[in-house]
Amino acid sequence: MSGNASILPSDEAFEDFKKQCLATENWVNKYKKEAMEVWIEEPVYRGSNSPKVHKIKCKMSIKDVSAATMYDVIHDGQYRKTWDPNMLESRDIARISDNADFGYYSWLCPKPIKNRDVVTLRSWRVKDDEYIIINFSVKHTKYPPQSNLVRAVSLLTGYFIKPTGPKSCTFIYLSQADPKGSLPKWVVNKASQVLAPRVMKSVHKAGQNYPAWKQQHLPEVKPWLHPEQSTLPMMDPAELSIQRSDSLENVDESSKVDAQESEDSS
C-alpha cells in the first residue's frame, strides 16, 4: 500500500470501521456502569497461538455535549494538552490531504511498563451527521523509534460519533493496537477495565469544558472543518508506508511486570 495515495483510507475503510463500532457479535462485555460500556473482541485463535493484538471498544452515551463538540475535542491538539493526563507529547507534523494528516503521539504507561509512542496517519469523515476519525501506524525515515520509548503499533484506532439530540450523542472509541513489549494478560485486563473508562470520563469532561475554552482560543480556527486554515506543510503520501507490527523489535518487560504483580498481590 505504500508509495502512493492508496495509503489513504477509502470510503469502504470508513464504512468497515463504522460496522465494527456498531457490531455486538463476537464482542465480550468487560465493563458496564451508568452510561459507559467496554467490550473486548473475542480472539479468532486460542491457546498459545492467540494473537497478542487485542481489539477494545468503549461506548459512552453522552447527554450534555453535542456530537460536533466531541468531534472538535478529538481533533484539537492544542486543547488536548490541557486535558489528556496520559500524554507526553503530541504534534501534527504534516497534511496528507484535506481530511488526513501525519502525526506523533507519546504517552505515559503504568509502572513498571515503559512509556509508548506511535507515528500515525489520521483521516476523518463527516457524512450523514456521523463523525468518523481513524488512524493507523505508518513509517517515515525522519521519525524512527526512540531508545527511551517503545514504539507501539496502531493497526486501527478511531472514533465514531453520532448525534442522539442537539446536545447529546453516542461516542464510540475502538482500537486494535499492539503495545509491543511482552505484556501479560493482567496488564491488558487492567487497561480494558480500569484505564479505558477513566480515559473516556476525561474525554467527556473535556467535551463539557471545550466551548468555553475554545471561545478564548481562536474560536473561528478549526482546520479539521476548514482545511484552508491549516498551517501544516503538505506531505506526499509516497513518503509513508504501513508500519507492520512484526517488523518492530519486542522489548521484554515480563520480568518487571511479574515483579510488580507479586508486589501488588502481597
PDB file of all heavy atoms in Angstrom, residues 24-54:
ATOM      1  N   THR A  24     -22.023  -6.244  17.703  1.00  0.00           N
ATOM      2  CA  THR A  24     -22.040  -6.862  19.037  1.00  0.00           C
ATOM      3  C   THR A  24     -21.613  -8.328  18.990  1.00  0.00           C
ATOM      4  O   THR A  24     -21.130  -8.865  19.996  1.00  0.00           O
ATOM      5  CB  THR A  24     -23.441  -6.776  19.663  1.00  0.00           C
ATOM      6  OG1 THR A  24     -24.396  -7.369  18.755  1.00  0.00           O
ATOM      7  CG2 THR A  24     -23.833  -5.335  19.941  1.00  0.00           C
ATOM      8  N   GLU A  25     -21.764  -8.968  17.847  1.00  0.00           N
ATOM      9  CA  GLU A  25     -21.384 -10.378  17.719  1.00  0.00           C
ATOM     10  C   GLU A  25     -19.875 -10.535  17.867  1.00  0.00           C
ATOM     11  O   GLU A  25     -19.090  -9.756  17.310  1.00  0.00           O
ATOM     12  CB  GLU A  25     -21.832 -10.915  16.352  1.00  0.00           C
ATOM     13  CG  GLU A  25     -21.683 -12.424  16.214  1.00  0.00           C
ATOM     14  CD  GLU A  25     -22.238 -12.941  14.893  1.00  0.00           C
ATOM     15  OE1 GLU A  25     -22.875 -12.171  14.156  1.00  0.00           O
ATOM     16  OE2 GLU A  25     -22.031 -14.126  14.617  1.00  0.00           O
ATOM     17  N   ASN A  26     -19.467 -11.538  18.655  1.00  0.00           N
ATOM     18  CA  ASN A  26     -18.060 -11.836  18.939  1.00  0.00           C
ATOM     19  C   ASN A  26     -17.374 -10.777  19.802  1.00  0.00           C
ATOM     20  O   ASN A  26     -16.138 -10.708  19.851  1.00  0.00           O
ATOM     21  CB  ASN A  26     -17.258 -12.030  17.644  1.00  0.00           C
ATOM     22  CG  ASN A  26     -17.727 -13.228  16.858  1.00  0.00           C
ATOM     23  OD1 ASN A  26     -18.128 -14.242  17.421  1.00  0.00           O
ATOM     24  ND2 ASN A  26     -17.719 -13.104  15.534  1.00  0.00           N
ATOM     25  N   TRP A  27     -18.176  -9.953  20.490  1.00  0.00           N
ATOM     26  CA  TRP A  27     -17.631  -8.995  21.442  1.00  0.00           C
ATOM     27  C   TRP A  27     -18.101  -9.362  22.846  1.00  0.00           C
ATOM     28  O   TRP A  27     -19.259  -9.689  23.060  1.00  0.00           O
ATOM     29  CB  TRP A  27     -18.086  -7.572  21.114  1.00  0.00           C
ATOM     30  CG  TRP A  27     -17.441  -6.995  19.887  1.00  0.00           C
ATOM     31  CD1 TRP A  27     -17.840  -7.161  18.592  1.00  0.00           C
ATOM     32  CD2 TRP A  27     -16.276  -6.165  19.838  1.00  0.00           C
ATOM     33  NE1 TRP A  27     -17.005  -6.493  17.734  1.00  0.00           N
ATOM     34  CE2 TRP A  27     -16.041  -5.865  18.474  1.00  0.00           C
ATOM     35  CE3 TRP A  27     -15.426  -5.643  20.813  1.00  0.00           C
ATOM     36  CZ2 TRP A  27     -14.975  -5.063  18.058  1.00  0.00           C
ATOM     37  CZ3 TRP A  27     -14.364  -4.835  20.396  1.00  0.00           C
ATOM     38  CH2 TRP A  27     -14.138  -4.560  19.037  1.00  0.00           C
ATOM     39  N   VAL A  28     -17.175  -9.316  23.814  1.00  0.00           N
ATOM     40  CA  VAL A  28     -17.486  -9.673  25.198  1.00  0.00           C
ATOM     41  C   VAL A  28     -17.461  -8.416  26.064  1.00  0.00           C
ATOM     42  O   VAL A  28     -16.481  -7.657  26.045  1.00  0.00           O
ATOM     43  CB  VAL A  28     -16.451 -10.689  25.749  1.00  0.00           C
ATOM     44  CG1 VAL A  28     -16.762 -11.034  27.202  1.00  0.00           C
ATOM     45  CG2 VAL A  28     -16.433 -11.942  24.890  1.00  0.00           C
ATOM     46  N   ASN A  29     -18.546  -8.203  26.809  1.00  0.00           N
ATOM     47  CA  ASN A  29     -18.615  -7.030  27.672  1.00  0.00           C
ATOM     48  C   ASN A  29     -17.723  -7.213  28.902  1.00  0.00           C
ATOM     49  O   ASN A  29     -17.812  -8.208  29.608  1.00  0.00           O
ATOM     50  CB  ASN A  29     -20.066  -6.780  28.099  1.00  0.00           C
ATOM     51  CG  ASN A  29     -20.209  -5.465  28.841  1.00  0.00           C
ATOM     52  OD1 ASN A  29     -19.928  -5.366  30.024  1.00  0.00           O
ATOM     53  ND2 ASN A  29     -20.660  -4.455  28.129  1.00  0.00           N
ATOM     54  N   LYS A  30     -16.851  -6.222  29.157  1.00  0.00           N
ATOM     55  CA  LYS A  30     -15.924  -6.286  30.294  1.00  0.00           C
ATOM     56  C   LYS A  30     -16.242  -5.242  31.361  1.00  0.00           C
ATOM     57  O   LYS A  30     -15.720  -5.313  32.473  1.00  0.00           O
ATOM     58  CB  LYS A  30     -14.487  -6.073  29.801  1.00  0.00           C
ATOM     59  CG  LYS A  30     -13.941  -7.209  28.962  1.00  0.00           C
ATOM     60  CD  LYS A  30     -13.682  -8.442  29.814  1.00  0.00           C
ATOM     61  CE  LYS A  30     -12.995  -9.546  29.032  1.00  0.00           C
ATOM     62  NZ  LYS A  30     -12.740 -10.735  29.864  1.00  0.00           N
ATOM     63  N   TYR A  31     -17.074  -4.275  31.008  1.00  0.00           N
ATOM     64  CA  TYR A  31     -17.374  -3.188  31.942  1.00  0.00           C
ATOM     65  C   TYR A  31     -18.690  -2.549  31.530  1.00  0.00           C
ATOM     66  O   TYR A  31     -18.912  -2.258  30.352  1.00  0.00           O
ATOM     67  CB  TYR A  31     -16.248  -2.149  31.902  1.00  0.00           C
ATOM     68  CG  TYR A  31     -16.430  -0.936  32.798  1.00  0.00           C
ATOM     69  CD1 TYR A  31     -15.813  -0.864  34.044  1.00  0.00           C
ATOM     70  CD2 TYR A  31     -17.185   0.154  32.380  1.00  0.00           C
ATOM     71  CE1 TYR A  31     -15.957   0.251  34.859  1.00  0.00           C
ATOM     72  CE2 TYR A  31     -17.342   1.272  33.183  1.00  0.00           C
ATOM     73  CZ  TYR A  31     -16.717   1.323  34.422  1.00  0.00           C
ATOM     74  OH  TYR A  31     -16.875   2.435  35.231  1.00  0.00           O
ATOM     75  N   LYS A  32     -19.563  -2.343  32.491  1.00  0.00           N
ATOM     76  CA  LYS A  32     -20.830  -1.662  32.197  1.00  0.00           C
ATOM     77  C   LYS A  32     -21.271  -0.927  33.458  1.00  0.00           C
ATOM     78  O   LYS A  32     -21.562  -1.531  34.486  1.00  0.00           O
ATOM     79  CB  LYS A  32     -21.904  -2.664  31.766  1.00  0.00           C
ATOM     80  CG  LYS A  32     -23.197  -1.989  31.292  1.00  0.00           C
ATOM     81  CD  LYS A  32     -24.148  -3.003  30.677  1.00  0.00           C
ATOM     82  CE  LYS A  32     -25.377  -2.305  30.097  1.00  0.00           C
ATOM     83  NZ  LYS A  32     -26.296  -3.275  29.453  1.00  0.00           N
ATOM     84  N   LYS A  33     -21.251   0.377  33.383  1.00  0.00           N
ATOM     85  CA  LYS A  33     -21.608   1.201  34.532  1.00  0.00           C
ATOM     86  C   LYS A  33     -22.153   2.526  34.050  1.00  0.00           C
ATOM     87  O   LYS A  33     -21.509   3.215  33.258  1.00  0.00           O
ATOM     88  CB  LYS A  33     -20.390   1.415  35.433  1.00  0.00           C
ATOM     89  CG  LYS A  33     -20.706   2.059  36.768  1.00  0.00           C
ATOM     90  CD  LYS A  33     -19.452   2.098  37.644  1.00  0.00           C
ATOM     91  CE  LYS A  33     -19.780   2.718  39.001  1.00  0.00           C
ATOM     92  NZ  LYS A  33     -18.570   2.807  39.868  1.00  0.00           N
ATOM     93  N   GLU A  34     -23.351   2.856  34.520  1.00  0.00           N
ATOM     94  CA  GLU A  34     -24.014   4.095  34.127  1.00  0.00           C
ATOM     95  C   GLU A  34     -24.097   4.166  32.600  1.00  0.00           C
ATOM     96  O   GLU A  34     -24.682   3.303  31.976  1.00  0.00           O
ATOM     97  CB  GLU A  34     -23.284   5.293  34.747  1.00  0.00           C
ATOM     98  CG  GLU A  34     -23.320   5.283  36.271  1.00  0.00           C
ATOM     99  CD  GLU A  34     -22.420   6.332  36.895  1.00  0.00           C
ATOM    100  OE1 GLU A  34     -21.661   6.999  36.158  1.00  0.00           O
ATOM    101  OE2 GLU A  34     -22.478   6.467  38.128  1.00  0.00           O
ATOM    102  N   ALA A  35     -23.480   5.173  31.990  1.00  0.00           N
ATOM    103  CA  ALA A  35     -23.645   5.361  30.540  1.00  0.00           C
ATOM    104  C   ALA A  35     -22.443   4.867  29.753  1.00  0.00           C
ATOM    105  O   ALA A  35     -22.261   5.237  28.597  1.00  0.00           O
ATOM    106  CB  ALA A  35     -23.896   6.838  30.236  1.00  0.00           C
ATOM    107  N   MET A  36     -21.624   3.999  30.360  1.00  0.00           N
ATOM    108  CA  MET A  36     -20.401   3.560  29.706  1.00  0.00           C
ATOM    109  C   MET A  36     -20.275   2.042  29.655  1.00  0.00           C
ATOM    110  O   MET A  36     -20.637   1.353  30.604  1.00  0.00           O
ATOM    111  CB  MET A  36     -19.189   4.138  30.438  1.00  0.00           C
ATOM    112  CG  MET A  36     -17.905   4.027  29.638  1.00  0.00           C
ATOM    113  SD  MET A  36     -16.488   4.669  30.547  1.00  0.00           S
ATOM    114  CE  MET A  36     -17.085   6.278  31.054  1.00  0.00           C
ATOM    115  N   GLU A  37     -19.764   1.557  28.527  1.00  0.00           N
ATOM    116  CA  GLU A  37     -19.509   0.128  28.357  1.00  0.00           C
ATOM    117  C   GLU A  37     -18.140  -0.074  27.714  1.00  0.00           C
ATOM    118  O   GLU A  37     -17.707   0.738  26.900  1.00  0.00           O
ATOM    119  CB  GLU A  37     -20.573  -0.519  27.467  1.00  0.00           C
ATOM    120  CG  GLU A  37     -21.980  -0.477  28.021  1.00  0.00           C
ATOM    121  CD  GLU A  37     -22.978  -1.130  27.076  1.00  0.00           C
ATOM    122  OE1 GLU A  37     -22.724  -2.277  26.676  1.00  0.00           O
ATOM    123  OE2 GLU A  37     -23.978  -0.477  26.729  1.00  0.00           O
ATOM    124  N   VAL A  38     -17.477  -1.171  28.098  1.00  0.00           N
ATOM    125  CA  VAL A  38     -16.209  -1.550  27.480  1.00  0.00           C
ATOM    126  C   VAL A  38     -16.345  -2.987  26.985  1.00  0.00           C
ATOM    127  O   VAL A  38     -16.810  -3.861  27.721  1.00  0.00           O
ATOM    128  CB  VAL A  38     -15.028  -1.444  28.468  1.00  0.00           C
ATOM    129  CG1 VAL A  38     -13.734  -1.909  27.799  1.00  0.00           C
ATOM    130  CG2 VAL A  38     -14.881  -0.017  28.986  1.00  0.00           C
ATOM    131  N   TRP A  39     -15.926  -3.205  25.737  1.00  0.00           N
ATOM    132  CA  TRP A  39     -16.022  -4.518  25.113  1.00  0.00           C
ATOM    133  C   TRP A  39     -14.653  -4.958  24.606  1.00  0.00           C
ATOM    134  O   TRP A  39     -13.846  -4.143  24.176  1.00  0.00           O
ATOM    135  CB  TRP A  39     -16.985  -4.483  23.917  1.00  0.00           C
ATOM    136  CG  TRP A  39     -18.377  -4.046  24.262  1.00  0.00           C
ATOM    137  CD1 TRP A  39     -18.805  -2.770  24.538  1.00  0.00           C
ATOM    138  CD2 TRP A  39     -19.536  -4.874  24.362  1.00  0.00           C
ATOM    139  NE1 TRP A  39     -20.155  -2.765  24.796  1.00  0.00           N
ATOM    140  CE2 TRP A  39     -20.631  -4.039  24.701  1.00  0.00           C
ATOM    141  CE3 TRP A  39     -19.756  -6.246  24.193  1.00  0.00           C
ATOM    142  CZ2 TRP A  39     -21.911  -4.531  24.871  1.00  0.00           C
ATOM    143  CZ3 TRP A  39     -21.030  -6.736  24.357  1.00  0.00           C
ATOM    144  CH2 TRP A  39     -22.103  -5.887  24.694  1.00  0.00           C
ATOM    145  N   ILE A  40     -14.411  -6.259  24.631  1.00  0.00           N
ATOM    146  CA  ILE A  40     -13.205  -6.855  24.047  1.00  0.00           C
ATOM    147  C   ILE A  40     -13.656  -7.843  22.980  1.00  0.00           C
ATOM    148  O   ILE A  40     -14.552  -8.651  23.221  1.00  0.00           O
ATOM    149  CB  ILE A  40     -12.370  -7.600  25.104  1.00  0.00           C
ATOM    150  CG1 ILE A  40     -11.921  -6.655  26.216  1.00  0.00           C
ATOM    151  CG2 ILE A  40     -11.165  -8.282  24.459  1.00  0.00           C
ATOM    152  CD1 ILE A  40     -10.886  -5.646  25.791  1.00  0.00           C
ATOM    153  N   GLU A  41     -13.032  -7.778  21.804  1.00  0.00           N
ATOM    154  CA  GLU A  41     -13.381  -8.730  20.761  1.00  0.00           C
ATOM    155  C   GLU A  41     -12.785 -10.093  21.090  1.00  0.00           C
ATOM    156  O   GLU A  41     -11.633 -10.186  21.504  1.00  0.00           O
ATOM    157  CB  GLU A  41     -12.856  -8.261  19.402  1.00  0.00           C
ATOM    158  CG  GLU A  41     -13.355  -9.139  18.262  1.00  0.00           C
ATOM    159  CD  GLU A  41     -12.830  -8.693  16.917  1.00  0.00           C
ATOM    160  OE1 GLU A  41     -11.631  -8.384  16.830  1.00  0.00           O
ATOM    161  OE2 GLU A  41     -13.607  -8.658  15.967  1.00  0.00           O
ATOM    162  N   GLU A  42     -13.589 -11.138  20.940  1.00  0.00           N
ATOM    163  CA  GLU A  42     -13.080 -12.486  21.170  1.00  0.00           C
ATOM    164  C   GLU A  42     -12.023 -12.810  20.124  1.00  0.00           C
ATOM    165  O   GLU A  42     -12.247 -12.616  18.928  1.00  0.00           O
ATOM    166  CB  GLU A  42     -14.228 -13.500  21.083  1.00  0.00           C
ATOM    167  CG  GLU A  42     -15.198 -13.437  22.244  1.00  0.00           C
ATOM    168  CD  GLU A  42     -16.193 -14.589  22.196  1.00  0.00           C
ATOM    169  OE1 GLU A  42     -16.775 -14.808  21.118  1.00  0.00           O
ATOM    170  OE2 GLU A  42     -16.371 -15.249  23.230  1.00  0.00           O
ATOM    171  N   PRO A  43     -10.860 -13.324  20.556  1.00  0.00           N
ATOM    172  CA  PRO A  43      -9.808 -13.641  19.585  1.00  0.00           C
ATOM    173  C   PRO A  43     -10.216 -14.798  18.687  1.00  0.00           C
ATOM    174  O   PRO A  43     -10.939 -15.706  19.100  1.00  0.00           O
ATOM    175  CB  PRO A  43      -8.610 -14.016  20.462  1.00  0.00           C
ATOM    176  CG  PRO A  43      -9.198 -14.430  21.772  1.00  0.00           C
ATOM    177  CD  PRO A  43     -10.450 -13.620  21.933  1.00  0.00           C
ATOM    178  N   VAL A  44      -9.725 -14.755  17.464  1.00  0.00           N
ATOM    179  CA  VAL A  44     -10.025 -15.816  16.496  1.00  0.00           C
ATOM    180  C   VAL A  44      -9.320 -17.101  16.888  1.00  0.00           C
ATOM    181  O   VAL A  44      -9.871 -18.191  16.773  1.00  0.00           O
ATOM    182  CB  VAL A  44      -9.590 -15.369  15.082  1.00  0.00           C
ATOM    183  CG1 VAL A  44      -9.810 -16.501  14.080  1.00  0.00           C
ATOM    184  CG2 VAL A  44     -10.371 -14.133  14.663  1.00  0.00           C
ATOM    185  N   TYR A  45      -8.099 -16.979  17.408  1.00  0.00           N
ATOM    186  CA  TYR A  45      -7.324 -18.155  17.806  1.00  0.00           C
ATOM    187  C   TYR A  45      -7.259 -18.247  19.325  1.00  0.00           C
ATOM    188  O   TYR A  45      -7.380 -17.275  20.028  1.00  0.00           O
ATOM    189  CB  TYR A  45      -5.898 -18.063  17.248  1.00  0.00           C
ATOM    190  CG  TYR A  45      -5.847 -17.824  15.777  1.00  0.00           C
ATOM    191  CD1 TYR A  45      -5.499 -16.575  15.276  1.00  0.00           C
ATOM    192  CD2 TYR A  45      -6.163 -18.832  14.872  1.00  0.00           C
ATOM    193  CE1 TYR A  45      -5.460 -16.333  13.915  1.00  0.00           C
ATOM    194  CE2 TYR A  45      -6.132 -18.604  13.508  1.00  0.00           C
ATOM    195  CZ  TYR A  45      -5.774 -17.346  13.042  1.00  0.00           C
ATOM    196  OH  TYR A  45      -5.744 -17.111  11.711  1.00  0.00           O
ATOM    197  N   ARG A  46      -7.073 -19.441  19.831  1.00  0.00           N
ATOM    198  CA  ARG A  46      -6.990 -19.643  21.270  1.00  0.00           C
ATOM    199  C   ARG A  46      -5.697 -20.363  21.636  1.00  0.00           C
ATOM    200  O   ARG A  46      -4.976 -20.848  20.777  1.00  0.00           O
ATOM    201  CB  ARG A  46      -8.203 -20.443  21.761  1.00  0.00           C
ATOM    202  CG  ARG A  46      -9.519 -19.749  21.441  1.00  0.00           C
ATOM    203  CD  ARG A  46     -10.676 -20.325  22.223  1.00  0.00           C
ATOM    204  NE  ARG A  46     -11.912 -19.611  21.922  1.00  0.00           N
ATOM    205  CZ  ARG A  46     -12.270 -18.486  22.486  1.00  0.00           C
ATOM    206  NH1 ARG A  46     -11.496 -17.914  23.378  1.00  0.00           N
ATOM    207  NH2 ARG A  46     -13.409 -17.896  22.174  1.00  0.00           N
ATOM    208  N   GLY A  47      -5.408 -20.436  22.924  1.00  0.00           N
ATOM    209  CA  GLY A  47      -4.197 -21.114  23.381  1.00  0.00           C
ATOM    210  C   GLY A  47      -2.956 -20.306  23.084  1.00  0.00           C
ATOM    211  O   GLY A  47      -2.985 -19.088  22.979  1.00  0.00           O
ATOM    212  N   SER A  48      -1.848 -21.015  22.914  1.00  0.00           N
ATOM    213  CA  SER A  48      -0.568 -20.331  22.731  1.00  0.00           C
ATOM    214  C   SER A  48      -0.490 -19.571  21.417  1.00  0.00           C
ATOM    215  O   SER A  48       0.360 -18.706  21.238  1.00  0.00           O
ATOM    216  CB  SER A  48       0.572 -21.351  22.789  1.00  0.00           C
ATOM    217  OG  SER A  48       0.402 -22.339  21.779  1.00  0.00           O
ATOM    218  N   ASN A  49      -1.398 -19.882  20.477  1.00  0.00           N
ATOM    219  CA  ASN A  49      -1.395 -19.196  19.190  1.00  0.00           C
ATOM    220  C   ASN A  49      -2.302 -17.970  19.165  1.00  0.00           C
ATOM    221  O   ASN A  49      -2.492 -17.363  18.127  1.00  0.00           O
ATOM    222  CB  ASN A  49      -1.824 -20.160  18.074  1.00  0.00           C
ATOM    223  CG  ASN A  49      -0.795 -21.252  17.840  1.00  0.00           C
ATOM    224  OD1 ASN A  49       0.402 -21.004  17.958  1.00  0.00           O
ATOM    225  ND2 ASN A  49      -1.258 -22.457  17.537  1.00  0.00           N
ATOM    226  N   SER A  50      -2.883 -17.614  20.311  1.00  0.00           N
ATOM    227  CA  SER A  50      -3.747 -16.442  20.352  1.00  0.00           C
ATOM    228  C   SER A  50      -2.954 -15.193  19.976  1.00  0.00           C
ATOM    229  O   SER A  50      -1.812 -15.026  20.408  1.00  0.00           O
ATOM    230  CB  SER A  50      -4.333 -16.256  21.757  1.00  0.00           C
ATOM    231  OG  SER A  50      -5.337 -17.208  21.996  1.00  0.00           O
ATOM    232  N   PRO A  51      -3.555 -14.329  19.187  1.00  0.00           N
ATOM    233  CA  PRO A  51      -2.845 -13.101  18.819  1.00  0.00           C
ATOM    234  C   PRO A  51      -2.696 -12.182  20.028  1.00  0.00           C
ATOM    235  O   PRO A  51      -3.563 -12.137  20.886  1.00  0.00           O
ATOM    236  CB  PRO A  51      -3.762 -12.480  17.754  1.00  0.00           C
ATOM    237  CG  PRO A  51      -5.127 -13.007  18.057  1.00  0.00           C
ATOM    238  CD  PRO A  51      -4.909 -14.394  18.591  1.00  0.00           C
ATOM    239  N   LYS A  52      -1.566 -11.470  20.084  1.00  0.00           N
ATOM    240  CA  LYS A  52      -1.368 -10.523  21.176  1.00  0.00           C
ATOM    241  C   LYS A  52      -2.093  -9.209  20.907  1.00  0.00           C
ATOM    242  O   LYS A  52      -2.168  -8.344  21.764  1.00  0.00           O
ATOM    243  CB  LYS A  52       0.120 -10.225  21.343  1.00  0.00           C
ATOM    244  CG  LYS A  52       0.825 -11.182  22.282  1.00  0.00           C
ATOM    245  CD  LYS A  52       2.292 -10.857  22.374  1.00  0.00           C
ATOM    246  CE  LYS A  52       2.550  -9.401  22.732  1.00  0.00           C
ATOM    247  NZ  LYS A  52       3.987  -9.098  22.843  1.00  0.00           N
ATOM    248  N   VAL A  53      -2.574  -9.047  19.693  1.00  0.00           N
ATOM    249  CA  VAL A  53      -3.194  -7.787  19.306  1.00  0.00           C
ATOM    250  C   VAL A  53      -4.660  -7.806  19.711  1.00  0.00           C
ATOM    251  O   VAL A  53      -5.488  -8.453  19.072  1.00  0.00           O
ATOM    252  CB  VAL A  53      -3.052  -7.555  17.786  1.00  0.00           C
ATOM    253  CG1 VAL A  53      -3.638  -6.219  17.402  1.00  0.00           C
ATOM    254  CG2 VAL A  53      -1.591  -7.625  17.384  1.00  0.00           C
ATOM    255  N   HIS A  54      -4.982  -7.126  20.771  1.00  0.00           N
ATOM    256  CA  HIS A  54      -6.337  -7.107  21.293  1.00  0.00           C
ATOM    257  C   HIS A  54      -7.119  -5.950  20.683  1.00  0.00           C
ATOM    258  O   HIS A  54      -6.567  -4.895  20.395  1.00  0.00           O
ATOM    259  CB  HIS A  54      -6.324  -6.963  22.816  1.00  0.00           C
ATOM    260  CG  HIS A  54      -5.611  -8.076  23.506  1.00  0.00           C
ATOM    261  ND1 HIS A  54      -6.258  -9.169  24.037  1.00  0.00           N
ATOM    262  CD2 HIS A  54      -4.293  -8.280  23.746  1.00  0.00           C
ATOM    263  CE1 HIS A  54      -5.379  -9.988  24.570  1.00  0.00           C
ATOM    264  NE2 HIS A  54      -4.167  -9.471  24.399  1.00  0.00           N
TER     265      HIS A  54
END
